Amino acid sequence: MFRKNKLAMLVSEFLGTGALTMTVLALTHSQLSLPYFVATAAGLTLILMTIALGAISGAVFNPALTIGLWTVRKLKSLQAVSYIIAQFAGAAAAWYLFVYFTKLEDVKNSGAYDARILVAEVVGTFLFSFSIAAAVYQRLSIGLKGLMVGGGLMMGALVASLGSSGVLNPAVAMSLHQWGWGTYVLGPVLG
């Protein structure tokens, strides 16, 4: 399992998820923390990471999408579990780096269930997943695929931000301390 190319895939997922998480953390704790700016920055980051790392790992960067790819048998079980571990590790590393840079670590969340948050995350992740499926189905070049994926994340996050934080990614939600099994984990998986 851990030959050179397999390790490169895991490092790719770690770095991509970490970069996405760091971007979202930086924007949500800045003066530009409006949903439009956060969604735009996340979308642009995903475009860049997809173009840079897509040929290595497929540029999944999201545990919910990893589960989706596993359910349709595009990823093997061991590969899916390894991706999820790498994605959460990348998000955790981004959180600790963020705390090191900013000294902001007192961000708390109750994690309480709210149906509105769940539905918003489901709808947003569905739109995001739909754009990914369209890019893959049409067999676009890596640049166009990156634009579709990043644009899809931006669209999904903006729509989801009407009722939630618009995270659409359980690993990023963990680092944002927006953790809730029934909302920010289950919502993206269902979407």
Side-chain angles (χ1 to χ4, degrees):
M1 162 68 192
F2 291 101
R3 292 184 310 208
K4 193 173 186 179
N5 60 343
K6 303 288 184 181
L7 186 59
M9 294 168 77
L10 296 177
V11 170
S12 172
E13 289 297 311
F14 176 88
L15 292 175
T17 307
L20 181 61
T21 302
M22 185 60 83
T23 300
V24 172
L25 282 167
L27 262 293
T28 56
H29 291 87
S30 74
Q31 293 179 352
L32 297 174
S33 64
L34 299 171
Y36 172 78
F37 293 116
V38 176
T40 301
L44 290 173
T45 301
L46 194 56
I47 290 170
L48 294 173
M49 290 293 103
T50 299
I51 292 170
L53 302 171
I56 299 169
S57 69
V60 183
F61 311 141
N62 186 329
L65 295 177
T66 301
I67 292 170
L69 289 170
W70 174 74
T71 60
V72 295
R73 296 188 177 143
K74 295 292 183 182
L75 293 176
K76 294 179 181 173
S77 296
L78 184 58
Q79 184 181 19
V81 170
S82 300
Y83 270 26
I84 290 170
I85 291 168
Q87 291 159 354
F88 275 106
W95 166 253
Y96 286 113
L97 191 59
F98 174 78
V99 169
Y100 175 74
F101 287 149
T102 64
K103 308 221 184 304
L104 294 173
E105 58 181 298
D106 58 344
V107 182
K108 301 291 183 227
N109 178 37
S110 68
Y113 174 79
D114 185 344
R116 185 175 55 101
I117 294 172
L118 175 66
V119 171
E121 289 289 310
V122 168
V123 171
T125 306
F126 172 77
L127 294 172
F128 174 42
S129 300
F130 187 78
S131 69
I132 293 171
V136 170
Y137 177 75
Q138 295 177 29
R139 298 180 186 177
L140 300 176
S141 68
I142 192 71
L144 288 175
K145 192 179 292 184
L147 285 172
M148 282 287 290
V149 170
L153 175 61
M154 183 178 165
M155 174 185 58
L158 283 173
V159 169
S161 70
L162 294 171
S164 72
S165 294
V167 180
L168 313 182
N169 186 327
V172 175
M174 175 193 70
S175 290
L176 288 172
H177 290 240
Q178 294 292 326
W179 189 257
W181 284 104
T183 52
Y184 291 103
V185 175
L186 182 61
V189 170
L190 291 176

